[in-house]
């Protein structure tokens, strides 16, 4: 009963509100059917935020999985100081997101940021770049901040998966003369694939609801170039107090997450059937 009240009631109530025109400003609270969803389908700000969220989720999850896999493969091998390296790599992940946002705000500052200083002295740019102040580079800067912060989480999950691969298989392959790439491609990667899909699912669902990193660093700007579904629904719900339309945005976001989870689960079930 308690679990249902905190888990399912907010979802059911949010879906119900999406079929009303409830507003704390106009005091309307009438059932309007699918009117909010029809308005949503023709709302360019919604589709702008939807595409930004999809791109952010795809790019950040892909980069974090790739870099995290490389880190996990390195940390899986025995070397001096491995324990210290494993502990140190978790520092970015343990850092609060707000702190990460402020830190990247200083690093990528368009006037005095150290990134511009390094790139200018390396000859890679000929003038300062307004990283998160220009629509062309703002979302990329946010993706880089998210990759820096969350890649250790992916590396930790994949390292756990790599440690379940039987060492006897790897040692037998080495005795037979298999090289590192052959061992990875034919032994480690197939056995790691279920873990890879589960880690990717968790990360994609978490990336899709990104809010604090965007809100602190850019607030959805400049010119809505970093607006995501979370920041858009927050502004509609708590700035304009349109609970009906804002709930429709949140419900559309929830349904998109459901589709992402379904795709990952289908791949996971297919992979598990192959291995059993």
């Amino acid at each position: 009963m308690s679990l249902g009240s905190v888990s399912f009631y907010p979802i059911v109530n949010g879906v119900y509100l999406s079929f009303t025109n409830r507003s704390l400003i106009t005091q309307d609270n009438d059932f309007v059917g699918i009117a909010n969803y029809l308005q949503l389908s023709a709302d360019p700000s919604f589709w702008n935020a939807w595409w930004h969220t999809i791109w952010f989720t795809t790019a950040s999850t892909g980069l974090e999985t790739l870099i995290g896999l490389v880190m996990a493969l390195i940390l899986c091998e025995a070397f001096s100081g491995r324990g210290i390296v494993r502990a140190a790599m978790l520092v970015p992940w343990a850092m609060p997101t707000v702190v990460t946002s402020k830190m990247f705000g200083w690093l990528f500052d368009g006037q005095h940021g150290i990134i511009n200083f390094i790139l200018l002295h390396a000859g890679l740019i000929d003038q300062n770049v307004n990283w998160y102040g220009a629509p062309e580079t703002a979302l990329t800067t946010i993706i880089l901040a998210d990759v820096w912060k969350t890649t250790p989480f992916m590396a930790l999950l994949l390292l756990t998966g790599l440690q379940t691969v039987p060492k006897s298989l790897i040692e037998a392959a080495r005795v037979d003369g298999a090289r590192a790439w052959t061992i990875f491609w034919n032994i480690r990667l197939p056995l790691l694939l279920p873990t890879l899909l589960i880690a990717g699912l968790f990360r994609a669902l978490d990336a899709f609801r990104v809010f604090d990193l965007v809100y602190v660093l850019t607030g959805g700007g400049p010119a809505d170039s970093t607006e995501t579904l979370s920041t858009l629904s927050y502004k509609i719900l708590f700035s304009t107090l349109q609970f009906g339309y804002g709930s429709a945005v949140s419900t559309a976001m929830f349904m998109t997450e459901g589709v992402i989870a379904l795709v990952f689960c289908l791949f996971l079930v297919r992979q598990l059937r192959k291995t059993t």
Side-chain angles (χ1 to χ4, degrees):
M1 185 67 180
S2 301
L3 183 63
S5 62
V6 299
S7 300
F8 297 108
Y9 174 74
I11 297 174
V12 173
N13 192 47
V15 173
Y16 167 73
L17 285 174
S18 70
F19 292 105
T20 69
N21 63 350
R22 186 169 186 178
S23 169
L24 291 187
I25 295 178
T26 62
Q27 297 297 316
D28 292 329
N29 189 21
D30 302 317
F31 185 80
V32 295
I34 61 170
N36 285 329
Y37 291 99
L38 293 176
Q39 181 182 349
L40 202 64
S41 65
D43 188 349
S45 62
F46 167 75
W47 290 112
N48 177 61
W50 192 86
W51 279 113
H52 288 159
T53 308
I54 291 293
W55 172 242
F56 175 85
T57 302
T58 305
S60 61
T61 303
L63 288 172
E64 288 159 15
T65 302
L66 186 62
I67 300 172
L69 179 59
V70 174
M71 291 172 65
L73 287 169
I74 294 172
L75 293 174
C76 195
E77 301 298 326
F79 59 87
S80 179
R82 184 175 65 171
I84 297 174
V85 175
R86 284 182 176 182
M89 81 173 190
L90 293 176
V91 172
W93 182 55
M95 194 175 291
T97 306
V98 173
V99 176
T100 302
S101 300
K102 286 295 183 185
M103 185 179 73
F104 269 75
W106 294 329
L107 289 173
F108 284 85
D109 185 84
Q111 296 297 322
H112 309 290
I114 192 170
I115 300 299
N116 274 333
F117 177 82
I118 294 172
L119 294 178
L120 276 172
H121 282 75
L124 298 176
I125 58 176
D126 53 9
Q127 60 181 355
N128 285 338
V129 177
N130 192 7
W131 293 101
Y132 56 89
E136 297 80 13
T137 53
L139 190 57
T140 303
T141 306
I142 293 175
I143 291 172
L144 290 176
D146 190 73
V147 169
W148 180 83
K149 175 174 174 51
T150 319
T151 296
F153 171 73
M154 291 295 288
L156 189 65
L157 291 179
L158 298 178
L159 178 61
T160 305
L162 282 173
Q163 289 179 335
T164 64
V165 177
K167 292 183 179 178
S168 58
L169 289 176
I170 298 173
E171 290 172 358
R174 284 174 177 163
V175 169
D176 290 340
R179 296 186 177 182
W181 173 254
T182 305
I183 294 174
F184 168 74
W185 189 255
N186 294 299
I187 298 177
R188 279 178 164 164
L189 186 59
L191 294 176
L192 185 65
L193 206 50
T195 305
L196 205 59
L197 288 171
I198 293 173
L201 171 63
F202 287 160
R203 186 60 209 126
L205 295 181
D206 190 43
F208 191 80
R209 58 186 178 85
V210 61
F211 175 78
D212 39 8
L213 190 61
V214 177
Y215 194 77
V216 173
L217 195 57
T218 64
D224 295 337
S225 61
T226 61
E227 194 79 274
T228 63
L229 288 176
S230 293
T231 56
L232 178 66
S233 59
Y234 173 81
K235 290 174 183 176
I236 295 174
L237 283 166
F238 299 107
S239 295
T240 66
L241 300 179
Q242 300 178 67
F243 283 6
Y245 190 60
S247 297
V249 176
S250 301
T251 303
M253 183 178 172
F254 177 73
M255 292 171 65
T256 309
E257 277 201 284
V259 172
I260 293 173
L262 180 64
V263 171
F264 270 95
C265 288
L266 288 176
F267 276 110
L268 183 60
V269 170
R270 185 180 176 185
Q271 183 60 32
L272 289 176
R273 284 180 177 173
K274 282 184 179 178
T275 56
T276 55

